[in-house]
Amino acid sequence: HRPMPVAHSMDSCLCFGFLGNLRPLAFPKRDPSKQAEAAEVSILDGKETLKVTFDAETLASFTSPNAETISVDFSSSMSRSDGRWETEPVDAIAQFIVDEVNFGVGEFGPSGGQSRLGYTMPEELLKSKTIQMWPILPDATLADNGFELLNISEALRQQGITETTFDPTSQEHRRKVGNALIEAAQARFAKRAIHLADTSRVSGSAVYGEATVRDTRAGSGLRSAQHIFHMDKFLPGIAKLYGKVGDDAGAQRIVDAYWHLWGPDFGNFEVDREQAASSIAQADPGMLNLWVALTPGGVVNEPLAVADMRNILLNDEDLDLVSTHKVVFPGLEDTITVLRPRAIDAAKLMFRPQMQFGEVIMFSTTHTPHSAVKLLGTPCPGRCSAEIRLLMVDSGATGQRS
């Protein structure tokens, strides 16, 4: 799940294993009678070119006749020709809730006559702000950063889902995407992943294991992107909204609001509501969102931006930086916690440039601020993505979903 490139010495070149692939370096072994010098080596991989600069000492260590293997950390020395690991930030427009909106005042939800599923925030309550975003590095982790990268493209391909065959309107295809995401999360944590029914269960009639698709392309009736920095389930904010204090109270409120939808699913895994609330509050890792790109040719604009937890970690002392509101659907009273513009003053905002079909950003539902944003100076043809919300529980929960 985290790339650890390894170079294998061969007769005429070196091969680097990176993200599961071996890539040959056309670099002959060093003549031991000559002094090693620094060199830049290009790694050709189809459309991409990776360039790595080695200093003389490192070069000598793995081009000697006796060299067999060596580990190389690419995270700080590598750039790609497509810019996905460049260190320069890019500008984008993000939206936040205006300061004039008081905490918890007003509720949101679907409006009459809307053409799409789900809901969007009223434009008059939003403030736009230019932000800078940096590419997510491949070694980012959920524990350190609040997000990390996964890839389910091969799992989808084995189920017949590719960027040329995927139909976002097909429930069968959405379930295959959801199942691939569930399996990826279980493999990552060696825990059982339970799909958490969300608003798509009451607005769209989604079923267990079905990923929620967002399609911003013209003519789609599916959900659009959520263009406001928010946290889906910020526990201190939820607790305050309902007159309580603390993560435990926020977690309990989530379970109480959703149990009429979650109960039958959790029963199949022998997990009760107390266990569910405890897993959410402990956040180990607790509730997770897995967001997968499904746009043919890659995401051009409206990428998902996430805030790095090393620079911003909101808690119950930061309630003045956010506002939690009720989101009301027929049969469900949900919540959303939206950020005010000053909440990100010290934050480093990250994204995955040109995110390819099947690439995944996994992040904390309770801790990681995120939003769709618009890149400046870039065409905006729309994009297709899917997401699923999971609760990770100890593997002792052995029930099987039929």
Side-chain angles (χ1 to χ4, degrees), residues 10 12 90 92 116 240 247 286 295 313 326 333 356 374:
M10 300 173 67
S12 59
V90 300
R116 288 178 175 266
K240 179 180 178 179
D247 288 358
T295 308
L313 183 57
K326 296 177 182 178
E333 184 175 290
Q356 298 299 299
K374 289 190 176 179

Side-chain angles (χ1 to χ4, degrees), residues 92 94 131-134 136 147 228-230 291 302-308 349-352 361 363 368-374 383:
I131 61 171
Q132 288 191 317
M133 299 196 304
W134 282 259
I136 297 173
F147 51 80
I228 184 170
F229 261 95
H230 67 284
W291 190 98
E302 298 184 279
L304 180 72
V306 289
D308 194 323
L349 305 176
M350 317 291 286
F351 79 121
R352 178 72 160 158
I361 300 176
F363 59 94
T368 306
H370 58 283
S371 175
V373 299
K374 289 190 176 179
R383 52 92 162 155

Side-chain angles (χ1 to χ4, degrees), residues 57-185:
E57 182 179 358
T58 301
L59 197 63
S61 70
F62 69 80
T63 56
S64 66
N66 296 324
E68 293 183 358
T69 64
I70 184 172
S71 294
V72 181
D73 180 5
F74 281 157
S75 62
S76 61
S77 62
M78 183 182 69
S79 65
R80 288 169 56 144
S81 59
D82 64 7
R84 296 210 290 171
W85 281 300
E86 290 176 356
T87 58
E88 293 299 319
V90 300
D91 292 332
I93 295 293
Q95 292 184 311
F96 305 84
I97 196 162
V98 297
D99 287 327
E100 290 76 13
V101 176
N102 293 326
F103 184 100
V105 175
E107 61 184 38
F108 308 118
S111 58
Q114 68 181 41
S115 60
R116 288 178 175 266
L117 296 172
Y119 75 102
T120 55
M121 301 290 289
E123 288 290 333
E124 63 270 19
L125 302 183
L126 306 181
K127 179 178 181 179
S128 296
K129 181 177 181 178
T130 300
I131 61 171
Q132 288 191 317
M133 299 196 304
W134 282 259
I136 297 173
L137 293 177
D139 60 353
T141 66
L142 185 71
D144 292 337
N145 307 90
F147 51 80
E148 63 183 76
L149 301 174
L150 302 174
N151 195 314
I152 62 167
S153 58
E154 177 58 24
L156 292 178
R157 188 192 65 78
Q158 292 179 7
Q159 298 187 71
I161 303 294
T162 67
E163 59 184 345
T164 58
T165 64
F166 177 66
D167 178 4
T169 66
S170 166
Q171 187 178 61
E172 178 187 1
H173 284 199
R174 296 194 298 264
R175 294 184 70 175
K176 288 182 176 180
V177 171
N179 287 331
L181 291 170
I182 290 171
E183 291 176 2

Side-chain angles (χ1 to χ4, degrees), residues 127-332:
K127 179 178 181 179
S128 296
K129 181 177 181 178
T130 300
I131 61 171
Q132 288 191 317
M133 299 196 304
W134 282 259
I136 297 173
L137 293 177
D139 60 353
T141 66
L142 185 71
D144 292 337
N145 307 90
F147 51 80
E148 63 183 76
L149 301 174
L150 302 174
N151 195 314
I152 62 167
S153 58
E154 177 58 24
L156 292 178
R157 188 192 65 78
Q158 292 179 7
Q159 298 187 71
I161 303 294
T162 67
E163 59 184 345
T164 58
T165 64
F166 177 66
D167 178 4
T169 66
S170 166
Q171 187 178 61
E172 178 187 1
H173 284 199
R174 296 194 298 264
R175 294 184 70 175
K176 288 182 176 180
V177 171
N179 287 331
L181 291 170
I182 290 171
E183 291 176 2
Q186 291 182 152
R188 168 63 180 85
F189 294 104
K191 290 190 172 189
R192 183 166 299 283
I194 302 179
H195 178 205
L196 299 176
D198 56 18
T199 57
S200 63
R201 188 72 65 93
V202 296
S203 176
S205 302
V207 299
Y208 187 90
E210 179 182 345
T212 300
V213 171
R214 296 184 185 272
D215 192 343
T216 69
R217 295 171 293 188
S220 174
L222 299 173
R223 280 170 169 74
S224 188
Q226 195 67 276
H227 280 268
I228 184 170
F229 261 95
H230 67 284
M231 290 172 286
D232 295 302
K233 296 292 173 282
F234 182 52
L235 302 183
I238 296 171
K240 179 180 178 179
L241 182 64
Y242 290 94
K244 305 289 185 179
V245 177
D247 288 358
D248 289 340
Q252 189 61 58
R253 171 59 203 178
I254 294 171
V255 173
D256 290 345
Y258 271 97
W259 197 250
H260 65 292
L261 299 176
W262 291 358
D265 298 332
F266 277 63
N268 289 326
F269 294 97
E270 301 176 0
V271 175
D272 61 30
R273 60 195 303 162
E274 288 75 21
Q275 290 173 301
S278 176
S279 295
I280 293 171
Q282 290 175 7
D284 184 30
M287 294 176 73
L288 299 177
N289 281 24
L290 278 75
W291 190 98
V292 58
L294 297 173
T295 308
V299 176
V300 175
N301 209 329
E302 298 184 279
L304 180 72
V306 289
D308 194 323
M309 284 200 321
R310 294 175 301 178
N311 308 104
I312 177 174
L313 183 57
L314 300 172
N315 54 40
D316 54 9
E317 297 178 356
D318 302 305
L319 292 173
D320 61 320
L321 300 177
V322 303
S323 187
T324 302
H325 297 267
K326 296 177 182 178
V327 179
V328 180
F329 284 81
L332 178 66

